[in-house]
Amino acid sequence: MDAGAEQSDAIPYCPDVDGDGIADPPPTHGQIVAALCPTAPAPILATSPPDEGYTGLETWFWSTGTHQVTETGTVGGYAVSCQLEAVEFAVDTGDVHADEFGHPRHYTSTSPGHDGADTDITHLYERVDTYTQSLTITWSRRTQMGADRTTSSTTRDYPVLEIRAVATTGP
């Protein structure tokens, strides 16, 4: 194309970044990911009760924070974008005793859940202990040139206590 000539709307824009007179190919999915895509946000694992659980009382789990991120920019002269969207939430309760009581230790959901008894993931701890809980989020990562998946995760210690009722006689 002659200098000063206008690009036709019918012909896609093909930049010549290196100036050799030949249109450069569009970036690959991997090049867009490396140059533009944000790192998957660190998950935030929320529970109720928030700081410590109790035997015989369900603990509710959910993910807070960002569950979708989009970044736009230019790579190799092409306008591109990268979108991360959380598509799976996997909780490991850390409950090494779960099988003894017929409970699963690991749970997955396609929803981040919420603070409420009807949240997607709940767990009943049956033994006093300190459990290492984890949340792993699987992210769908999409660009104009393809898609893949990536994960981010976090862990935390969660003490579980026992509350016992004690019968006493009057004064």
Side-chain angles (χ1 to χ4, degrees):
M1 183 183 296
D2 295 332
E6 291 185 26
Q7 176 81 31
S8 165
D9 289 340
I11 300 171
Y13 174 68
C14 298
D16 178 15
V17 174
D18 58 12
D20 65 0
I22 300 170
D24 296 321
T28 65
H29 174 71
Q31 290 169 325
I32 296 170
V33 167
L36 180 71
C37 286
T39 301
I44 301 169
L45 177 60
T47 59
S48 181
D51 299 318
E52 60 189 27
Y54 302 97
T55 59
L57 176 69
E58 279 192 332
T59 299
W60 307 337
F61 294 85
W62 68 97
S63 172
T64 64
T66 302
H67 297 118
Q68 187 170 1
V69 181
T70 300
E71 197 67 47
T72 59
T74 304
V75 176
Y78 288 85
V80 294
S81 65
C82 180
Q83 182 181 44
L84 292 171
E85 182 178 3
V87 295
E88 183 179 86
F89 302 84
V91 171
D92 179 344
T93 63
D95 189 351
V96 296
H97 314 290
D99 285 347
E100 295 173 41
F101 299 98
H103 306 306
R105 175 180 172 167
H106 302 93
Y107 299 84
T108 59
S109 177
T110 56
S111 164
H114 61 277
D115 182 7
D118 62 341
T119 192
D120 290 355
I121 299 175
T122 63
H123 183 74
L124 186 64
Y125 290 97
E126 302 276 359
R127 287 214 175 148
V128 172
D129 205 341
T130 297
Y131 299 92
T132 301
Q133 300 171 332
S134 69
L135 169 62
T136 300
I137 298 179
T138 300
W139 300 84
S140 170
R141 183 169 50 193
R142 293 188 302 273
T143 69
Q144 290 91 331
M145 302 305 290
D148 64 2
R149 300 224 169 177
T150 188
T151 61
S152 60
S153 59
T154 189
T155 60
R156 71 176 203 165
D157 287 338
Y158 188 73
V160 173
L161 310 174
E162 182 175 54
I163 297 175
R164 291 187 182 192
V166 178
T168 60
T169 56

